């Protein structure tokens, strides 16, 4: 009888286990793993957006689960790392120029190739995944404008 009581208490937890284990794939650090292509860079202001060209739109970014990162194009290969972390600071300006406070997750990408003298040191003040994780949009914010970098998952 004690065994039956214990099973009844554990039964709801057993039903939840598959859902809890599948939630880890939705964590941002798990969703970024893979190959990505930079498709668009925009300088965004409240009343005007300007599309910019980035030379890094011609290659592929690889993000690995251990925090390593690689960028490859016709000029060579850059290596480095990426890092996500939660930041609870004094706040930030969103894309509409409104002050926001609270915790946010930031993304920092650092890549270097000494032979071609190229460096990427991008600090995204905020980012999100869109269209079921096939797009990654990162924002570099300032009081009067922000930059929006849009990446597409490469298949």
């Amino acid at each position: 009888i004690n065994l039956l009581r214990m099973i009844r208490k554990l039964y709801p937890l057993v039903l939840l286990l598959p859902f809890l284990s599948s939630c880890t794939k939705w964590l941002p650090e798990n969703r970024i793993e893979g190959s990505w292509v930079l498709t668009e860079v925009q300088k965004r202001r409240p009343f005007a957006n300007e599309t910019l060209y980035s030379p890094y739109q011609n290659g592929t970014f690889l993000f690995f689960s251990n925090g390593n990162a690689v960028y490859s194009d016709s000029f060579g290969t850059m290596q480095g790392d990426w890092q996500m972390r939660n930041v609870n600071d004094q706040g930030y300006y969103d894309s509409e120029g409104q002050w926001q406070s609270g915790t946010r997750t930031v993304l920092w990408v650092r890549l270097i190739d000494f032979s071609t003298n190229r460096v990427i040191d991008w600090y995204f003040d905020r980012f999100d995944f869109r269209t079921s994780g096939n797009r990654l949009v990162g924002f570099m914010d300032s009081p009067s404008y922000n930059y929006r970098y849009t990446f597409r998952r490469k298949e």
Side-chain angles (χ1 to χ4, degrees), residues 63-116:
F63 296 106
F64 298 96
S65 61
N66 63 1
N68 289 334
V70 173
Y71 171 79
S72 297
D73 64 7
S74 61
F75 297 105
T77 301
M78 303 171 72
Q79 297 184 6
D81 60 7
W82 64 270
Q83 182 183 82
M84 286 183 193
R85 63 181 173 191
N86 289 328
V87 173
N88 189 7
D89 57 10
Q90 296 178 6
Y92 64 96
Y93 288 95
D94 65 15
S95 57
E96 281 77 44
Q98 301 298 314
W99 183 254
Q100 303 291 328
S101 61
T103 302
R104 67 186 191 283
T105 304
V106 300
L107 172 63
W108 195 0
V109 179
R110 295 172 302 249
L111 301 165
I112 192 163
D113 180 7
F114 290 110
S115 66
T116 58

Side-chain angles (χ1 to χ4, degrees), residues 1-14:
I1 294 182
N2 286 334
L3 181 61
L4 286 175
R5 285 184 191 152
M6 188 167 62
I7 291 173
R8 282 186 201 150
K9 288 180 182 179
L10 292 177
Y11 185 72
L13 292 175
V14 171

Side-chain angles (χ1 to χ4, degrees), residues 13-28:
L13 292 175
V14 171
L15 290 177
L16 286 176
L17 280 177
F19 295 107
L20 293 175
S21 65
S22 68
C23 289
T24 60
K25 69 181 175 184
W26 295 106
L27 294 173

